[in-house]
Amino acid sequence: MNTSPWPNPFIEQRADPFILRHNDDYYFIASVPEYDRLEIRRAPTLEGLRDAAPVVVWRKPASGPMSELIWAPELHHIDGKWYIYYAAAATKALDALNMFQHRMFVLECADADPLTGRWTEKGQLVTPFDTFCLDATTFLHQGKRWYLWAQKAPDIPGNSNIYLTEMANPWTLKSAPVMLSKPEFAWECRGFLVNEGPAVLTHGERLFISYSASATDENYCLGLLWIDMAADPMQPENWHKAPQPVFTTSYENRQYGPGHNSFTKTPDGQDVLVYHARNYTEIEGDPLYDPNRHTRLKLITWDADGMPVFGTPPADHP
C-alpha cells in the first residue's frame, strides 16, 4: 500500500499545516515563513490545493498584541460562520528578547465564502492564566464544542502542556480547563520541554489526540492520547498516553522533525495525516526561522485493535 499517493513535499515552505474538508471543498491554511499574515487556499480536491492560489484574508497590524509572529492558524466552520484561530505575540514582548509570549486570537467571517468574505477580529481567547499559549483547535464531541490547546503553566517546568475545556461560544471558554498531558518522557523533552499542536481524530469507539513534542529540529515528533468515546473527557484519569512517540524522524528517508499535524479525509473516507517536516538537519541559526518546513501528506492505517498506525515519514518524491 502506498501510504503517500501525493507528491512529497506537498506544499513547500508551509509549516503547521491545517486542512479542512467542508462540503465538497478542501481548505488549506498554515504558517507562512514571514509569520506576518493569514492566507487560505481552496480546491475541490486534495491534490488541487497544491496549485490553488493563496488568498490573504488578514495581515498583522504594525503594533499591539497581534503584531508579531503569527503562528499555526486553523480554519473552522461553526454554526454557519467561519473562524480562524491563531497565535500572535506583541512587539513589546519581543523587544525583551522573549519569543514565547504568544496568546491565542480569533477571527470571524459570517459570509458564505471565507476567501472573499469580511473577517472581523473577535479578540483574544482568554484562558484562566495569562501565559504563553498557542496551537488551539476546536471540535464537537458528545454534543458539546471543545477547545483544545497548548499553554505554559506557571507552576510546571517547560514550554507548554495540553489543555481541554468546553466552549461557551467560538471565542469564549465555558469552564475551567483540565490538563491532559505535560512533557514527561525523554522524547518530549529534547531541546525544550514541549507538548503542543494537538489534533483530534476519531475512529471506532475512541477519540484520539495527536500532539507534537520536543524542539522544532530533528527531535520534533508526534505523541498520542486517547479516550473512550463515552468517557468524560474532563476527567484526566480517563485519558491514555502512549509511552513512545508514534511518528518520528526518519534518517533513512531524510525526513526530519515531522510534526504539528492535522487530519483530513479522502473523498472515500481514508484518514490523512497532514504534517510538516524538513529534508535536512543542517539548520543555520534558530530553527524557527528556517523556512523549509514543508507540508506533507500520508495515509494513516488502523491496526486490529483499532489504534492508528502512523508509520514512517515517506521520502521526498515528485
Side-chain angles (χ1 to χ4, degrees):
M1 177 186 178
N2 182 7
T3 61
S4 185
W6 303 278
N8 190 19
F10 183 70
I11 297 175
E12 293 191 3
Q13 295 196 345
R14 289 296 179 269
D16 316 319
F18 182 85
I19 295 179
L20 172 71
R21 189 170 185 224
H22 177 70
N23 292 338
D24 293 325
D25 285 322
Y26 288 93
Y27 294 82
F28 175 85
I29 192 168
S31 298
V32 302
E34 299 80 12
Y35 301 133
D36 65 348
R37 65 191 184 275
L38 298 172
E39 55 178 44
I40 303 172
R41 56 179 86 184
R42 175 178 57 210
T45 64
L46 265 175
E47 295 79 1
L49 289 173
R50 300 188 73 223
D51 299 317
V55 175
V56 176
V57 297
W58 182 86
R59 291 186 184 274
K60 70 179 180 65
S63 61
M66 302 175 293
S67 57
E68 293 291 342
L69 294 179
I70 309 305
W71 286 358
E74 288 197 6
L75 175 70
H76 293 269
H77 192 261
I78 304 170
D79 298 332
K81 296 181 181 180
W82 297 94
Y83 294 90
I84 295 176
Y85 296 85
Y86 64 99
T91 307
K92 67 180 187 301
L94 295 182
D95 289 343
L97 296 179
N98 184 356
M99 190 177 293
F100 299 110
Q101 288 298 321
H102 283 69
R103 301 296 186 269
M104 285 302 305
F105 297 89
V106 187
L107 297 174
E108 180 187 72
C109 174
D111 299 318
D113 185 347
L115 280 70
T116 59
R118 178 171 164 267
W119 287 89
T120 57
E121 295 172 1
K122 304 301 285 187
Q124 182 181 341
L125 204 152
V126 178
T127 60
F129 33 81
D130 184 27
T131 56
F132 173 65
C133 64
L134 73 170
D135 296 353
T137 190
T138 179
F139 62 101
L140 281 173
H141 177 56
Q142 296 178 350
K144 301 173 181 177
R145 177 152 297 279
W146 302 89
Y147 186 68
L148 176 68
W149 77 105
Q151 184 159 10
K152 176 170 178 55
D155 56 342
I156 297 175
N159 280 41
S160 56
N161 317 307
I162 304 293
Y163 293 91
L164 176 73
T165 193
E166 197 182 337
M167 303 190 86
N169 61 41
W171 59 93
T172 312
L173 302 188
K174 183 175 183 177
S175 54
V178 296
M179 184 176 73
L180 302 187
S181 179
K182 65 180 179 181
E184 52 192 318
F185 298 115
W187 54 269
E188 298 176 291
C189 301
R190 294 184 179 132
F192 293 106
L193 281 68
V194 171
N195 279 185
E196 66 182 17
V200 174
L201 180 66
T202 57
H203 183 83
E205 292 304 308
R206 296 189 187 103
L207 182 143
F208 298 89
I209 295 174
S210 66
Y211 64 93
S212 298
S214 287
T216 58
D217 54 17
E218 64 199 274
N219 291 306
Y220 210 48
C221 61
L222 291 185
L224 189 68
L225 309 170
W226 67 93
I227 192 172
D228 290 343
M229 289 289 272
D232 181 357
M234 290 294 283
Q235 300 298 321
E237 62 270 18
N238 290 338
W239 288 89
H240 309 272
K241 180 175 181 173
Q244 299 294 332
V246 294
F247 199 57
T248 61
T249 284
S250 170
Y251 292 94
E252 179 184 3
N253 290 342
R254 297 189 60 79
Q255 301 289 303
Y256 305 107
H260 201 113
N261 74 291
S262 58
F263 298 102
T264 190
K265 285 183 184 291
T266 62
D268 63 355
Q270 295 183 84
D271 291 298
V272 181
L273 176 67
V274 183
Y275 65 100
H276 73 232
R278 291 187 183 87
N279 56 12
Y280 57 85
T281 58
E282 306 78 20
I283 301 166
E284 293 185 12
D286 191 322
L288 194 67
Y289 291 102
D290 175 280
N292 295 313
R293 293 184 291 174
H294 303 320
T295 294
R296 305 166 190 275
L297 308 182
K298 79 178 293 290
L299 292 170
I300 292 173
T301 58
W302 297 88
D303 68 17
D305 296 324
M307 296 294 287
V309 179
F310 287 79
T312 303
D316 283 1
H317 58 86

